[in-house]
Amino acid sequence: MDEQGNATHARGTFNVLDENLPPEQQVLGLFYAKWILGALRAAVEVRVPDVLAAGPRTATEIAAEIGANPDALYRVLRTVAAAGILDESTDGRFALTPLSAGLVDGAENGIRDMFLFASDPMFLRPYENVAHTVRTGEPAFVEVFGMTFYDYIKVNPASGALLDRAMVQNHWPDMDRILDDFDFGRFPRIGDIGGGRGQFLARILLRHPRCTGVLADLPPTVAEAKAELENAGVADRVTVVPTDFFEEVPSGCDAYFIKHTLHNFDDDKAQLILTRIRAAIGNNADARLLIVDQLVRGPGEWDTAKLIDVEALSVLGGRERNRQEWNRITAAAGFQPVNEPEPNALVLLEYRPV
Ligand SMILES: C[S@@+](CC[C@H](N)C(=O)[O-])C[C@H]1O[C@@H](n2cnc3c(N)ncnc32)[C@H](O)[C@@H]1O
């Protein structure tokens, strides 16, 4: 603890507590997150950022444009502005700030779909009953919705489509570092397993013009991949394979890349996916498994992987892993580690087949 009573750790500190309150009351400051997120989600749902993209407006003007209650809208927007996410001027007009510019539909490097996905009831409602998960080890999602997340996505295609659009906006600053540091160019044919609409495969292929790619994901997801790959100008180098990776992974690739996907599953299921990848590799000893995910840090360290792990646990029945845990499930599927990256928000773990 430092003098203000904030937890400090060897590797970074993140203070979500209100230092102005006595220490025993500081956790109550966590509710600011709920109040701000709820107000901001409402503003995004009714498309306030889209209206403000045309210039500053009063709440009354915005309400007339979107068909909302002016008083309620004003009170929500002043909360969002108090948090610094919109600007509120003394003449009563609201404007976008750099923090809200990405919430405009279609904004370059925008995050509107990711924001709506991550704050959707399918992710929020399980948080009402994380205690159920703690007591039983089972995802609270099943308790709340009466089915697993994956079945929910199947029977609610709109939620599945939101997931797919959100993943196109799955920008992590660390991804640029991985693209800079790791030589994907040494693999003539790169498979992206659970690659969504091909958003990441496209980024690799753009950097490596001699490589070709295979995009493997569920049929409804890859059905929408063509436009993404064409927009990026790589469609002619990508074979799109609709598949269920628990059943089969396409063979013939030199690298099998799997990003932000294995953490959605428990060890048994993740191991089954890895076994399918190992089968696809066959006796190509030069082929590689490339996992991009998080590495959980040690006790007491600030770590978004620990936060996301509870979400993975309560919503999906998945888990974030440390290096030993990754090595255990990959070894069980027939892989050996090649590299030893430092824990980071996102890491690339390279494995060879054995
Ligand atoms: C969290 S997303 C990650 C997408 C992408 N790799 C990225 O990093 O942006 C997980 C992906 O796994 C895919 N997926 C889930 N279950 C699958 C299955 N049984 N077979 C194939 N793909 C699946 C989803 O459709 C989704 O695109």
Side-chain angles (χ1 to χ4, degrees):
M1 292 281 212
D2 66 14
E3 284 164 13
Q4 279 80 44
N6 302 321
T8 54
H9 304 293
R11 228 187 280 261
T13 303
F14 185 77
N15 185 19
V16 288
L17 309 177
D18 186 341
E19 295 165 22
N20 300 314
L21 296 173
E24 65 278 10
Q25 292 178 23
Q26 287 187 12
V27 290
L28 297 174
L30 292 174
F31 289 98
Y32 301 155
K34 181 188 109 169
W35 296 328
I36 296 167
L37 182 62
L40 180 60
R41 179 172 161 87
V44 175
E45 278 189 281
V46 300
R47 294 188 171 273
V48 169
D50 296 355
V51 173
L52 294 181
R57 301 272 194 286
T58 64
T60 306
E61 289 166 344
I62 302 168
E65 217 166 310
I66 61 176
N69 179 287
D71 175 61
L73 180 65
Y74 170 68
R75 290 156 65 186
V76 162
L77 295 187
R78 78 175 167 186
T79 293
V80 175
I85 299 167
L86 287 175
D87 182 63
E88 181 184 9
S89 62
T90 46
D91 66 5
R93 293 193 304 165
F94 291 93
L96 293 172
T97 69
L99 298 190
S100 40
L103 293 167
V104 175
D105 199 2
E108 195 178 347
N109 295 323
I111 46 106
R112 180 176 194 271
D113 291 325
M114 180 55 100
F115 177 83
L116 289 175
F117 171 67
S119 62
D120 190 89
M122 63 184 153
F123 279 91
L124 290 188
R125 291 195 50 210
Y127 268 82
E128 292 166 6
N129 207 354
V130 178
H132 171 79
T133 296
V134 169
R135 287 189 194 101
T136 63
E138 300 298 325
F141 190 99
V142 177
E143 174 78 359
V144 174
F145 290 102
M147 64 184 98
T148 67
F149 175 83
Y150 298 102
D151 288 337
Y152 181 89
I153 289 290
K154 270 187 221 149
V155 298
N156 294 284
S159 298
L162 176 61
L163 182 156
D164 292 339
R165 291 199 307 277
M167 288 307 119
V168 173
Q169 300 178 340
N170 192 15
H171 313 297
W172 285 55
D174 268 15
M175 208 50 247
D176 293 329
R177 176 182 50 75
I178 289 172
L179 279 168
D180 287 341
D181 292 354
F182 188 79
D183 180 18
F184 288 95
R186 68 187 222 245
F187 304 108
R189 196 161 178 76
I190 300 167
D192 191 352
I193 311 306
R197 294 182 174 178
Q199 57 273 8
F200 188 76
L201 183 60
R203 291 182 66 193
I204 298 178
L205 296 184
L206 281 172
R207 286 186 177 226
H208 302 284
R210 290 211 294 277
C211 297
T212 61
V214 175
L215 173 66
D217 206 298
L218 291 168
T221 300
V222 293
E224 303 296 328
K226 197 163 168 260
E228 184 71 28
L229 298 168
E230 275 171 0
N231 281 345
V234 297
D236 57 336
R237 286 192 280 144
V238 177
T239 306
V240 175
V241 181
T243 191
D244 176 346
F245 52 38
F246 292 112
E247 302 290 331
E248 192 174 13
V249 166
S251 58
C253 298
D254 304 289
Y256 284 84
F257 178 82
I258 183 159
K259 170 173 168 290
H260 271 142
T261 295
L262 292 167
H263 72 164
N264 295 334
F265 299 100
D266 64 23
D267 282 356
D268 287 347
K269 291 201 178 75
Q271 212 169 292
L272 178 56
I273 299 166
L274 292 166
T275 303
R276 298 292 182 243
I277 294 176
R278 183 66 191 84
I281 288 175
N283 56 12
N284 180 2
D286 294 331
R288 292 288 182 268
L289 164 68
L290 308 175
I291 297 173
V292 172
D293 243 310
Q294 295 187 261
L295 277 185
V296 177
R297 296 182 192 274
E301 292 186 43
W302 166 251
D303 187 356
T304 51
K306 294 174 184 172
L307 278 58
I308 298 172
D309 179 56
V310 176
E311 187 161 89
L313 171 68
S314 312
V315 177
L316 308 164
R319 70 184 310 136
E320 299 293 341
R321 298 173 171 94
N322 62 26
R323 189 65 208 248
Q324 291 71 31
E325 291 164 338
W326 280 118
N327 285 351
R328 197 178 57 237
I329 59 166
T330 48
F335 293 98
Q336 216 172 48
V338 173
N339 65 350
E340 206 53 60
E342 277 291 299
N344 224 319
L346 215 53
V347 293
L348 184 149
L349 305 174
E350 179 178 352
Y351 290 88
R352 69 160 59 92
V354 284

